[in-house]
């Protein structure tokens, strides 16, 4: 039978269940108990108190020795942030599933390595000649030894030496964030081309055809505020397999987006917009930009739905601002490439996602109506912002043409953004279309002037109390404008 996405996920669970692991549900993408995190960015987040040895004995998780799960992850802000790549390449997502098996002070490197090899090559049947593994090369400054044990273990399962590669702190020492659990790791990479070539030099080289599929972290330390490493009370295994990447390898696709994980979303987008079908082209090959837009929209509806279902509503601060930014990014692609009517665009794609993922993640079924309402509300607000901005732009453009300068002044460009919330790249695009020039230095000057003015406003904020109702509401409107796109409030 075929490796459908569904079968891949279930096979992963079964394999580890047979090895004494308990299947546990994913935790929320909103880490309600961890102020160091914007969103859940790895499977280990929910197990952090176990690793640190701070878990309450009454906690259900405290009894676990071995667990297996799929974790909903968002990497669109903070230490792990892929937002700007999404849409452009074949293997990044703002929202993805991370398959993981866990040992809490139980088994360690030997079992983790042997089982990951067995699962990939024997159960999933991936060609061992296309697999490459890495181990930590050590770091004398931090007093960390090379992980020769991992290297030997990979040899003993039969990986040839030229497929076993050392890696540095950046690639082979995994950390959750600025502080928290961490340790040396060992990754497994898959060559999607194969055919007898040696792709060792393409590992960790950002090559879309040689991608990391699985990371095994040997948790041993807790990174402190002062950057030092404190040894954990016990050793643990934390693994993370990119579900979408694994499925694409098993379905023999060049791209995660060409798998049955995304096809139902693309079909729905096509149905709603009447666009041409998705063809999985990238960069210059995506001549009309439509495939990129398909990917952006399909990726973003996943983030939006899961974030909102788990309680992250769009607003102007922290994670709510990430949600808002992602929605606006998606809306702009949809307007530009699909000519989509904005107001209920994302919610029209939503049913396809709920149908596809609702069984594994019942929370999106439960919250479908709330998600729809919030998405529509947010889109309508953004659509009004865009309309207002466009009108204002037309005024400025007409002036620039009438007075013969054919140039938008820096102050006008800045005001469109600052006062009307109109995205700067849209201003650029529209100016180009009308043959108007813009001066970056002038824009920067206007921005700087506005910063100083707003500083002054802040300093005199005490006077707020003396304003009348009308003045206050005017000021409030101003304060609710989104912060600059290039300055996310992470
Ligand atoms: N925590 C590890 C990762 O996210 C497995 O890559």
């Amino acid at each position: 039978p075929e490796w459908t996405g569904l079968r891949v996920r279930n096979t992963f669970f079964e394999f580890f269940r047979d090895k004494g692991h308990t299947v546990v549900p994913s935790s929320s993408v909103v880490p309600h108990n961890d102020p160091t995190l914007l969103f859940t960015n790895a499977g280990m987040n929910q197990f952090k108190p176990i690793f640190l040895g701070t878990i309450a004995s009454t906690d259900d998780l405290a009894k676990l020795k071995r667990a297996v799960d799929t974790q909903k992850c968002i990497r669109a802000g903070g230490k792990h942030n892929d937002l700007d790549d999404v849409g452009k390449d074949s293997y990044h997502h703002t929202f993805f599933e991370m398959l993981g098996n866990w040992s809490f002070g139980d088994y360690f490197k030997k079992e983790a390595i042997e089982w990951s090899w067995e699962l990939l090559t024997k159960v999933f049947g991936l060609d061992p000649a296309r697999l490459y593994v890495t181990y930590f090369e050590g770091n004398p400054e931090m007093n960390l030894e090379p992980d020769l044990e991992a290297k030997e273990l990979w040899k003993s399962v039969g990986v040839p030496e030229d497929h076993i590669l050392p890696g540095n702190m950046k690639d082979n020492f995994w950390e959750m964030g600025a502080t928290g659990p961490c340790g040396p790791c060992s990754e497994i990479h898959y060559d999607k081309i194969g055919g007898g070539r040696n792709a060792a030099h393409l590992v960790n080289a950002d090559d879309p055809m040689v991608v990391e599929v699985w990371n095994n972290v040997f948790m041993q330390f807790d990174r402190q505020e002062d950057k030092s490493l404190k040894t954990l009370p016990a050793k643990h295994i934390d693994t993370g397999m990119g579900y979408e990447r694994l499925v694409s390898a098993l379905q023999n696709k060049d791209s995660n987006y060409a798998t049955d994980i995304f096809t139902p979303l693309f079909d729905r987008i096509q149905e709603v917009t009447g666009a041409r079908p998705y063809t999985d082209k990238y960069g210059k090959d995506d001549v009309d930009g439509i495939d990129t837009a398909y990917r952006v929209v399909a990726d973003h509806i996943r983030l939006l739905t899961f974030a909102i279902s788990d309680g992250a509503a769009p607003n102007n601060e922290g994670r709510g601002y990430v949600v808002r930014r992602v929605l606006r990014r998606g809306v702009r692609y949809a307007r530009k490439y699909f000519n989509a009517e904005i107001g209920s665009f994302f919610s029209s794609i939503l049913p396809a996602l709920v149908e596809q993922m609702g069984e594994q993640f019942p929370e999106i079924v439960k919250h479908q109506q709330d998600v729809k309402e919030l998405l529509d509300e947010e889109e309508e607000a953004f659509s009004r912002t865009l309309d207002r901005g466009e009108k204002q732009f037309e005024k400025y453009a007409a002036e620039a043409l009438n007075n013969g300068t054919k140039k938008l002044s820096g102050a006008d460009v800045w005001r469109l953004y600052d006062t009307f919330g109109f995205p700067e790249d849209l201003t650029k695009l529209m100016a180009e279309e009308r043959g108007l020039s813009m001066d970056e230095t002038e824009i920067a000057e206007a921005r700087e002037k506005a910063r100083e003015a707003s500083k002054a406003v802040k300093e005199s904020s005490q006077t707020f109390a003396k304003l009348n109702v009308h003045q206050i509401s005017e000021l409030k409107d101003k304060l609710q404008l989104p912060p600059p796109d290039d300055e996310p409030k992470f």
Side-chain angles (χ1 to χ4, degrees):
E2 286 200 20
W3 284 116
T4 60
L6 187 66
R7 182 167 167 243
V8 171
R9 199 198 278 121
N10 287 334
T11 302
F12 185 84
F13 292 162
E14 261 163 49
F15 178 84
F16 284 104
R17 201 162 38 203
D18 286 349
K19 299 200 185 306
H21 294 59
T22 304
V23 182
V24 300
S26 169
S27 67
S28 163
V29 283
V30 176
H32 293 289
N33 299 321
D34 192 340
T36 71
L37 271 183
L38 206 53
F39 287 105
T40 299
N41 63 9
M44 54 73 63
N45 294 169
Q46 69 168 324
F47 304 118
K48 187 176 162 188
I50 306 187
F51 293 145
L52 295 178
T54 57
I55 190 157
S57 56
T58 50
D59 194 313
D60 280 347
L61 295 178
K63 293 187 275 302
L64 284 178
K65 285 281 161 215
R66 298 178 180 190
V68 59
D69 68 356
T70 183
Q71 174 66 50
K72 305 173 281 183
C73 293
I74 288 183
R75 292 187 172 178
K79 174 168 158 52
H80 300 276
N81 182 1
D82 295 324
L83 180 58
D84 296 333
D85 288 334
V86 169
K88 295 175 190 154
D89 75 18
S90 57
Y91 62 110
H92 283 99
H93 311 281
T94 61
F95 171 92
F96 64 98
E97 284 183 58
M98 187 183 286
L99 303 171
N101 57 291
W102 313 88
S103 156
F104 305 118
D106 191 47
Y107 65 84
F108 202 48
K109 281 182 207 179
K110 182 171 165 17
E111 290 85 345
I113 285 178
E114 286 176 2
W115 290 342
S116 60
W117 194 252
E118 183 189 338
L119 177 59
L120 289 182
T121 61
K122 301 270 163 29
V123 179
F124 286 133
L126 289 178
D127 177 4
R130 292 187 182 212
L131 293 170
Y132 297 82
V133 299
T134 63
Y135 67 94
F136 182 49
E137 67 185 7
N139 183 299
E141 257 166 63
M142 298 276 356
N143 233 334
L144 294 166
E145 300 287 324
D147 192 358
L148 301 178
E149 190 190 350
K151 184 180 180 186
E152 286 309 312
L153 285 165
W154 285 119
K155 269 201 238 169
S156 75
V157 296
V159 183
E161 255 185 88
D162 61 352
H163 283 224
I164 307 178
L165 314 161
N168 60 17
M169 222 48 202
K170 179 180 146 284
D171 293 322
N172 282 88
F173 193 91
W174 197 83
E175 313 210 27
M176 186 186 123
T179 60
C182 55
C185 62
S186 192
E187 295 178 344
I188 304 169
H189 297 250
Y190 181 71
D191 176 13
K192 293 185 160 188
I193 292 179
R197 72 168 180 167
N198 189 310
H201 62 291
L202 297 174
V203 169
N204 279 328
D206 261 333
D207 187 305
M209 296 308 272
V210 182
V211 291
E212 174 201 345
V213 286
W214 202 353
N215 190 9
N216 277 250
V217 184
F218 313 122
M219 282 290 180
Q220 294 161 71
F221 305 105
D222 178 15
R223 176 75 75 182
Q224 306 291 297
E225 296 276 359
D226 70 3
K227 302 271 168 263
S228 65
L229 292 172
K230 190 171 133 196
T231 303
L232 292 173
K235 291 178 178 168
H236 314 275
I237 291 296
D238 153 23
T239 88
M241 173 127 70
Y243 168 66
E244 295 78 4
R245 292 181 183 183
L246 174 65
V247 171
S248 110
L250 291 172
Q251 293 181 2
N252 269 316
K253 303 290 188 194
D254 288 354
S255 159
N256 297 1
Y257 291 91
T259 66
D260 69 343
I261 299 173
F262 285 94
T263 312
L265 298 177
F266 293 157
D267 288 348
R268 179 70 189 154
I269 294 168
Q270 193 194 359
E271 202 182 317
V272 167
T273 63
R276 65 151 175 84
Y278 179 70
T279 57
D280 203 38
K281 295 279 197 290
Y282 295 83
K284 284 195 200 74
D285 295 335
D286 181 21
V287 177
D288 53 13
I290 288 194
D291 282 353
T292 305
Y294 265 112
R295 287 186 291 271
V296 167
V297 169
D299 171 274
H300 289 8
I301 183 69
R302 285 166 31 112
L303 180 143
L304 294 166
T305 303
F306 281 93
I308 295 172
S309 293
D310 282 348
N315 60 38
N316 262 355
E317 212 96 62
R319 62 176 69 103
Y321 182 59
V322 174
V323 175
R324 173 162 289 170
R325 227 180 133 208
V326 167
L327 179 130
R328 291 182 169 195
R329 186 172 189 259
V331 162
R332 281 155 64 184
Y333 273 89
R335 267 176 116 229
K336 176 155 181 213
Y337 293 96
F338 297 134
N339 244 325
E341 181 97 24
I342 303 310
S344 55
F345 174 68
F346 270 118
S347 69
S348 70
I349 315 299
L350 179 64
L353 179 65
V354 172
E355 164 151 7
Q356 190 206 10
M357 293 182 79
E359 198 173 322
Q360 179 65 35
F361 302 103
E363 62 275 24
I364 66 171
V365 181
K366 187 172 161 212
H367 295 292
Q368 181 167 0
Q369 190 56 27
D370 301 336
V371 172
K372 177 189 164 13
E373 280 166 23
L374 270 170
L375 287 175
D376 288 354
E377 221 174 86
E378 184 68 15
E379 257 181 48
E380 277 158 22
F382 187 43
S383 156
R384 281 194 299 273
T385 302
L386 290 176
D387 287 349
R388 217 171 40 195
E390 268 168 16
K391 265 200 207 119
Q392 200 60 28
F393 174 91
E394 295 305 344
K395 268 192 210 158
Y396 295 154
E399 273 165 36
L401 291 172
N402 284 342
N403 67 21
T405 57
K406 289 194 131 198
K407 180 178 141 193
L408 281 186
S409 77
D412 286 349
V413 176
W414 178 251
R415 204 171 308 123
L416 276 172
Y417 177 70
D418 191 38
T419 309
F420 294 89
F422 198 66
E424 234 180 271
D425 56 345
L426 279 192
T427 304
K428 262 188 201 144
L429 205 78
M430 290 170 63
E432 263 166 36
E433 282 169 4
R434 286 174 185 61
L436 297 172
S437 68
M438 290 167 35
D439 180 339
E440 290 299 334
T441 323
E442 248 183 61
I443 300 171
E445 275 167 16
R447 187 185 298 131
E448 196 43 46
K449 232 165 112 185
R451 286 228 170 98
E452 273 160 27
S454 95
K455 233 167 59 194
V457 166
K458 262 191 206 129
E459 279 157 13
S460 65
S461 66
Q462 292 94 328
T463 57
F464 194 79
K466 293 178 205 144
L467 301 177
N468 67 32
V469 179
H470 179 69
Q471 287 168 315
I472 288 177
S473 88
E474 211 174 52
L475 196 59
K476 271 198 181 148
D477 277 343
K478 266 200 185 141
L479 293 174
Q480 272 167 14
L481 288 169
D485 264 345
D486 56 349
E487 260 203 349
K489 279 195 179 173
F490 295 146

